[in-house]
Coordinates of all heavy atoms in Angstrom, one line a residue:
M11 N 30.4 0.7 -8.6 CA 29.4 -0.2 -8.5 C 28.1 0.6 -8.3 O 28.0 1.5 -7.5 CB 29.6 -1.2 -7.3 CG 30.8 -2.1 -7.6 SD 30.7 -3.4 -6.2 CE 31.5 -4.6 -7.1
P12 N 27.0 0.2 -9.0 CA 25.8 0.8 -8.8 C 25.1 0.6 -7.5 O 25.2 -0.4 -6.8 CB 24.9 0.2 -10.0 CG 25.6 -1.0 -10.4 CD 27.0 -0.9 -10.0
A13 N 24.4 1.5 -7.1 CA 23.6 1.6 -5.8 C 22.2 1.8 -6.1 O 21.8 2.7 -6.9 CB 24.2 2.6 -4.8
T14 N 21.3 1.0 -5.4 CA 19.9 1.1 -5.6 C 19.2 1.3 -4.2 O 19.6 0.6 -3.3 CB 19.3 -0.2 -6.2 OG1 20.0 -0.4 -7.5 CG2 17.9 0.0 -6.5
T15 N 18.4 2.3 -4.1 CA 17.7 2.6 -2.8 C 16.3 2.2 -2.7 O 15.6 2.4 -3.7 CB 17.9 4.1 -2.5 OG1 19.2 4.5 -2.5 CG2 17.3 4.5 -1.1
Y16 N 15.9 1.5 -1.7 CA 14.6 1.0 -1.6 C 14.0 1.6 -0.3 O 14.7 1.9 0.7 CB 14.6 -0.5 -1.4 CG 15.2 -1.3 -2.5 CD1 16.5 -1.7 -2.5 CD2 14.3 -1.7 -3.6 CE1 17.0 -2.4 -3.6 CE2 14.9 -2.4 -4.6 CZ 16.2 -2.7 -4.7 OH 16.8 -3.5 -5.7
A17 N 12.6 1.8 -0.4 CA 11.8 2.2 0.8 C 11.5 1.0 1.5 O 10.9 0.0 0.9 CB 10.7 3.0 0.4
V18 N 11.7 0.9 2.8 CA 11.5 -0.3 3.6 C 10.6 0.1 4.9 O 11.1 1.1 5.6 CB 12.6 -1.1 4.0 CG1 12.3 -2.3 4.9 CG2 13.4 -1.5 2.8
A19 N 9.5 -0.4 5.1 CA 8.6 -0.2 6.2 C 8.8 -1.1 7.3 O 9.2 -2.3 7.2 CB 7.0 -0.2 5.8
G20 N 8.7 -0.5 8.6 CA 8.8 -1.4 9.8 C 10.2 -1.3 10.4 O 10.3 -2.0 11.5
M21 N 11.0 -0.5 10.0 CA 12.4 -0.5 10.6 C 12.4 0.7 11.7 O 11.8 1.7 11.5 CB 13.5 0.0 9.7 CG 13.6 -0.9 8.4 SD 15.1 -0.4 7.4 CE 14.6 1.3 6.9
S22 N 12.9 0.3 12.9 CA 12.8 1.4 14.0 C 14.0 1.4 14.9 O 14.1 2.3 15.7 CB 11.5 1.2 14.8 OG 11.6 -0.2 15.4
C23 N 15.0 0.4 14.8 CA 16.1 0.4 15.8 C 17.3 -0.2 15.3 O 17.3 -0.6 14.1 CB 15.6 -0.4 17.0 SG 15.3 -2.2 16.6
G24 N 18.3 -0.2 16.0 CA 19.6 -0.7 15.6 C 19.5 -2.3 15.2 O 20.2 -2.7 14.4
H25 N 18.7 -3.0 16.0 CA 18.4 -4.4 15.6 C 17.9 -4.5 14.2 O 18.3 -5.4 13.4 CB 17.5 -5.1 16.6 CG 17.2 -6.5 16.3 ND1 18.1 -7.5 16.5 CD2 16.1 -7.0 15.9 CE1 17.6 -8.7 16.1 NE2 16.3 -8.4 15.7
C26 N 16.9 -3.7 13.8 CA 16.4 -3.7 12.5 C 17.4 -3.5 11.5 O 17.6 -4.2 10.4 CB 15.3 -2.6 12.3 SG 13.9 -2.8 13.4
K27 N 18.3 -2.5 11.8 CA 19.4 -2.1 10.8 C 20.4 -3.3 10.7 O 20.8 -3.7 9.6 CB 20.1 -0.9 11.4 CG 21.3 -0.5 10.5 CD 21.9 0.8 11.1 CE 23.0 1.4 10.3 NZ 23.5 2.6 10.7
A28 N 20.7 -4.0 11.8 CA 21.6 -5.1 11.8 C 21.1 -6.3 11.0 O 21.7 -6.9 10.2 CB 22.1 -5.4 13.1
T29 N 19.8 -6.6 11.2 CA 19.1 -7.7 10.5 C 19.1 -7.5 9.1 O 19.5 -8.4 8.3 CB 17.7 -7.8 11.1 OG1 17.7 -8.1 12.5 CG2 16.9 -8.9 10.5
L30 N 18.6 -6.4 8.7 CA 18.6 -6.1 7.2 C 19.9 -6.0 6.6 O 20.1 -6.5 5.4 CB 17.8 -4.8 6.9 CG 16.3 -4.9 7.2 CD1 15.6 -3.6 7.0 CD2 15.7 -5.9 6.2
T31 N 20.9 -5.5 7.2 CA 22.2 -5.4 6.7 C 22.8 -6.9 6.4 O 23.4 -7.2 5.4 CB 23.2 -4.7 7.6 OG1 22.8 -3.3 7.7 CG2 24.7 -4.6 7.1
G32 N 22.5 -7.8 7.4 CA 22.9 -9.2 7.3 C 22.2 -10.0 6.2 O 22.8 -10.5 5.4
V33 N 20.9 -9.8 6.2 CA 20.2 -10.7 5.2 C 20.3 -10.2 3.8 O 20.5 -11.0 2.9 CB 18.7 -10.8 5.6 CG1 18.5 -11.6 6.9 CG2 17.9 -9.6 5.5
I34 N 20.4 -8.9 3.7 CA 20.6 -8.4 2.2 C 22.1 -8.7 1.8 O 22.4 -9.0 0.7 CB 20.2 -7.0 2.1 CG1 18.5 -6.9 2.3 CG2 20.5 -6.5 0.7 CD1 18.1 -5.5 2.5
G35 N 23.0 -8.4 2.8 CA 24.4 -8.5 2.4 C 24.8 -10.0 2.1 O 25.8 -10.1 1.4
E36 N 24.0 -11.0 2.4 CA 24.3 -12.3 2.2 C 23.9 -12.8 0.7 O 24.2 -13.8 0.2 CB 23.6 -13.3 3.1 CG 24.3 -13.2 4.5 CD 23.6 -14.0 5.5 OE1 22.5 -14.6 5.2 OE2 24.0 -14.1 6.6
L37 N 23.0 -11.9 0.0 CA 22.5 -12.1 -1.3 C 23.6 -12.1 -2.3 O 24.6 -11.4 -2.2 CB 21.4 -11.1 -1.7 CG 20.1 -11.3 -0.8 CD1 19.2 -10.2 -1.2 CD2 19.5 -12.6 -0.8
D38 N 23.5 -13.0 -3.3 CA 24.6 -13.0 -4.4 C 24.7 -11.6 -5.1 O 23.6 -11.1 -5.4 CB 24.2 -14.1 -5.5 CG 24.4 -15.5 -5.0 OD1 25.2 -15.6 -4.0 OD2 23.9 -16.4 -5.5
G39 N 25.8 -11.2 -5.3 CA 26.1 -9.9 -6.1 C 26.0 -8.8 -5.2 O 26.5 -7.7 -5.6
V40 N 25.5 -8.8 -4.0 CA 25.6 -7.7 -3.1 C 26.8 -7.4 -2.4 O 27.5 -8.3 -1.8 CB 24.5 -7.8 -2.0 CG1 24.5 -6.6 -1.1 CG2 23.0 -7.9 -2.7
S41 N 27.4 -6.2 -2.6 CA 28.7 -5.8 -2.0 C 28.6 -4.9 -0.8 O 29.5 -4.7 -0.1 CB 29.7 -5.3 -3.1 OG 29.2 -4.2 -3.7
G42 N 27.4 -4.3 -0.7 CA 27.3 -3.4 0.4 C 25.8 -3.0 0.7 O 25.0 -3.1 -0.2
V43 N 25.5 -2.7 2.0 CA 24.1 -2.4 2.4 C 24.3 -1.2 3.4 O 25.0 -1.4 4.4 CB 23.4 -3.5 3.1 CG1 22.1 -3.2 3.5 CG2 23.4 -4.8 2.2
E44 N 23.5 -0.2 3.1 CA 23.4 1.0 4.1 C 22.0 1.1 4.5 O 21.1 1.2 3.6 CB 23.9 2.3 3.4 CG 25.4 2.2 3.0 CD 26.2 2.3 4.3 OE1 25.9 2.9 5.4 OE2 27.4 1.7 4.3
V45 N 21.7 1.2 5.7 CA 20.3 1.4 6.3 C 20.2 2.7 6.9 O 20.9 3.1 7.8 CB 20.0 0.3 7.3 CG1 18.5 0.4 7.8 CG2 20.2 -1.1 6.6
D46 N 19.2 3.5 6.4 CA 18.9 4.8 7.1 C 17.5 4.7 7.8 O 16.5 4.7 7.1 CB 18.9 5.9 6.0 CG 18.6 7.3 6.5 OD1 18.1 7.4 7.6 OD2 18.9 8.2 5.7
L47 N 17.6 4.5 9.1 CA 16.4 4.3 9.8 C 15.4 5.5 9.7 O 14.2 5.4 9.5 CB 16.7 3.9 11.2 CG 17.4 2.6 11.5 CD1 17.8 2.6 13.0 CD2 16.5 1.5 11.1
D48 N 16.0 6.7 9.9 CA 15.1 8.0 9.9 C 14.4 8.0 8.5 O 13.2 8.5 8.6 CB 16.0 9.1 10.1 CG 16.6 9.1 11.5 OD1 16.0 8.5 12.5 OD2 17.7 9.7 11.7
A49 N 15.1 7.8 7.4 CA 14.4 8.0 6.1 C 13.5 6.8 5.8 O 12.7 6.8 4.9 CB 15.4 8.2 5.1
G50 N 13.9 5.6 6.4 CA 13.2 4.4 6.1 C 13.7 3.8 4.7 O 12.9 3.2 3.9
H51 N 15.0 4.0 4.5 CA 15.6 3.6 3.2 C 16.7 2.6 3.5 O 17.4 2.6 4.4 CB 16.2 4.8 2.5 CG 15.2 5.7 2.0 ND1 15.5 7.0 1.6 CD2 13.9 5.7 1.8 CE1 14.4 7.8 1.2 NE2 13.4 7.0 1.4
V52 N 16.9 1.7 2.5 CA 18.0 0.7 2.4 C 18.6 0.8 1.0 O 18.0 0.7 0.0 CB 17.4 -0.7 2.7 CG1 18.6 -1.7 2.5 CG2 16.8 -0.9 4.0
T53 N 19.9 1.2 1.1 CA 20.7 1.4 -0.2 C 21.6 0.1 -0.4 O 22.3 -0.3 0.5 CB 21.5 2.6 -0.2 OG1 20.7 3.7 0.0 CG2 22.3 2.8 -1.5
V54 N 21.5 -0.5 -1.5 CA 22.1 -1.8 -1.8 C 23.1 -1.5 -3.0 O 22.8 -1.0 -4.1 CB 21.1 -2.9 -2.3 CG1 21.8 -4.1 -2.7 CG2 20.1 -3.1 -1.2
T55 N 24.4 -1.9 -2.7 CA 25.4 -1.7 -3.7 C 25.6 -3.1 -4.2 O 25.8 -4.0 -3.5 CB 26.7 -1.1 -3.1 OG1 26.4 0.2 -2.5 CG2 27.8 -0.9 -4.2
S56 N 25.7 -3.2 -5.6 CA 25.8 -4.6 -6.1 C 26.7 -4.5 -7.5 O 26.8 -3.4 -8.0 CB 24.4 -5.2 -6.4 OG 23.7 -4.4 -7.3
A57 N 27.2 -5.6 -7.9 CA 28.0 -5.7 -9.1 C 27.1 -5.4 -10.3 O 27.6 -4.8 -11.3 CB 28.5 -7.0 -9.2
G58 N 25.8 -5.7 -10.3 CA 25.0 -5.4 -11.4 C 23.6 -4.9 -11.0 O 23.5 -4.5 -9.9
E59 N 22.7 -4.9 -11.9 CA 21.3 -4.5 -11.5 C 20.7 -5.6 -10.5 O 20.7 -6.8 -10.8 CB 20.5 -4.6 -12.8 CG 19.1 -4.0 -12.5 CD 19.0 -2.5 -12.2 OE1 20.0 -1.8 -12.5 OE2 18.0 -2.1 -11.6
P60 N 20.3 -5.0 -9.3 CA 19.8 -6.1 -8.3 C 18.4 -6.6 -8.7 O 17.7 -5.9 -9.5 CB 19.6 -5.2 -7.0 CG 19.5 -3.8 -7.5 CD 20.3 -3.7 -8.8
D61 N 18.1 -7.8 -8.3 CA 16.7 -8.4 -8.6 C 15.9 -7.9 -7.4 O 16.0 -8.3 -6.3 CB 17.0 -9.9 -8.6 CG 15.7 -10.6 -8.9 OD1 14.6 -10.1 -8.8 OD2 15.7 -11.7 -9.5
D62 N 15.0 -7.0 -7.8 CA 14.0 -6.5 -6.7 C 13.2 -7.6 -6.0 O 13.0 -7.5 -4.9 CB 13.1 -5.4 -7.4 CG 13.8 -4.2 -7.9 OD1 14.9 -4.0 -7.6 OD2 13.1 -3.5 -8.6
A63 N 12.9 -8.6 -6.8 CA 12.0 -9.6 -6.2 C 12.9 -10.4 -5.1 O 12.3 -10.8 -4.1 CB 11.5 -10.6 -7.2
V64 N 14.1 -10.7 -5.4 CA 15.0 -11.4 -4.4 C 15.2 -10.5 -3.2 O 15.1 -11.0 -2.1 CB 16.2 -11.8 -5.1 CG1 17.3 -12.3 -4.0 CG2 16.0 -12.9 -6.2
I65 N 15.4 -9.3 -3.4 CA 15.6 -8.4 -2.2 C 14.3 -8.2 -1.4 O 14.3 -8.3 -0.2 CB 16.1 -7.0 -2.7 CG1 17.6 -7.2 -3.3 CG2 16.1 -6.0 -1.6 CD1 18.2 -6.0 -3.8
A66 N 13.1 -8.1 -2.1 CA 11.9 -7.9 -1.5 C 11.6 -9.3 -0.6 O 11.1 -9.1 0.5 CB 10.7 -7.7 -2.4
E67 N 12.0 -10.4 -1.2 CA 11.7 -11.6 -0.4 C 12.6 -11.7 0.8 O 12.1 -12.1 1.9 CB 12.0 -12.9 -1.4 CG 11.7 -14.2 -0.6 CD 12.1 -15.4 -1.5 OE1 12.2 -15.2 -2.8 OE2 12.1 -16.4 -1.0
A68 N 13.8 -11.3 0.7 CA 14.7 -11.3 1.8 C 14.3 -10.4 3.0 O 14.2 -10.7 4.2 CB 16.2 -10.9 1.5
V69 N 13.8 -9.2 2.5 CA 13.3 -8.1 3.4 C 12.0 -8.7 4.1 O 11.8 -8.6 5.4 CB 13.0 -6.8 2.7 CG1 12.2 -5.8 3.6 CG2 14.3 -6.2 2.3
D70 N 11.1 -9.3 3.3 CA 9.9 -9.9 3.9 C 10.1 -10.9 4.9 O 9.5 -11.0 6.0 CB 9.0 -10.4 2.7 CG 7.6 -10.8 3.2 OD1 6.9 -10.0 3.8 OD2 7.3 -12.1 2.9
E71 N 11.0 -11.8 4.5 CA 11.4 -13.0 5.5 C 12.0 -12.4 6.8 O 11.8 -13.0 7.8 CB 12.3 -14.0 4.8 CG 11.6 -14.8 3.8 CD 12.5 -15.8 3.0 OE1 13.7 -15.9 3.4 OE2 12.0 -16.5 2.0
A72 N 12.6 -11.3 6.7 CA 13.2 -10.7 8.0 C 12.1 -10.0 8.8 O 12.4 -9.5 9.8 CB 14.4 -9.8 7.6
G73 N 10.9 -9.8 8.2 CA 9.8 -9.2 9.0 C 9.6 -7.7 8.6 O 8.8 -7.1 9.4
Y74 N 10.0 -7.3 7.5 CA 9.9 -5.9 7.1 C 9.2 -5.9 5.8 O 8.9 -7.0 5.1 CB 11.2 -5.2 7.0 CG 11.9 -5.3 8.3 CD1 12.9 -6.3 8.6 CD2 11.7 -4.5 9.4 CE1 13.5 -6.5 9.8 CE2 12.4 -4.6 10.6 CZ 13.3 -5.6 10.8 OH 13.9 -5.7 11.9
E75 N 8.9 -4.7 5.2 CA 8.1 -4.6 3.9 C 8.9 -3.7 3.0 O 9.0 -2.5 3.3 CB 6.7 -4.2 4.2 CG 5.9 -4.1 2.9 CD 4.5 -3.5 3.0 OE1 4.2 -3.0 4.2 OE2 3.8 -3.4 2.1
L76 N 9.3 -4.2 1.9 CA 9.9 -3.4 0.8 C 8.7 -2.8 0.0 O 7.9 -3.5 -0.5 CB 10.8 -4.2 -0.1 CG 11.6 -3.4 -1.0 CD1 12.9 -4.1 -1.3 CD2 10.9 -3.3 -2.3
T77 N 8.6 -1.5 0.0 CA 7.5 -0.8 -0.6 C 7.9 -0.2 -1.9 O 7.0 0.4 -2.6 CB 7.0 0.3 0.3 OG1 7.9 1.3 0.7 CG2 6.4 -0.3 1.6
G78 N 9.2 -0.4 -2.4 CA 9.4 0.2 -3.7 C 10.8 0.8 -3.8 O 11.5 0.9 -2.7
R79 N 11.3 1.2 -5.0 CA 12.5 1.9 -5.2 C 12.3 3.4 -4.8 O 11.2 3.9 -5.1 CB 13.1 1.7 -6.6 CG 13.6 0.4 -6.8 CD 14.3 0.4 -8.2 NE 14.9 -0.9 -8.5 CZ 15.9 -1.1 -9.2 NH1 16.4 -0.1 -9.9 NH2 16.3 -2.3 -9.5
V80 N 13.3 4.0 -4.4 CA 13.2 5.5 -4.1 C 13.8 6.2 -5.2 O 14.6 5.9 -5.8 CB 14.0 5.8 -2.8 CG1 14.1 7.3 -2.6 CG2 13.4 5.0 -1.6

């Protein structure tokens, strides 16, 4: 399954990691989410090409900012 890594601003703690893992993990087609707080990256594993706009919206609604693909 392909993995796509995004840069996400505003993450700083375990709560941030849990929140983003939950909201992104609930999206259709997403099979895995890995959050690297130190790097500011979120890696999304999905069945197909992820919809960047949908992921950005979920990240934004959770209170963070997706700044692009890495």
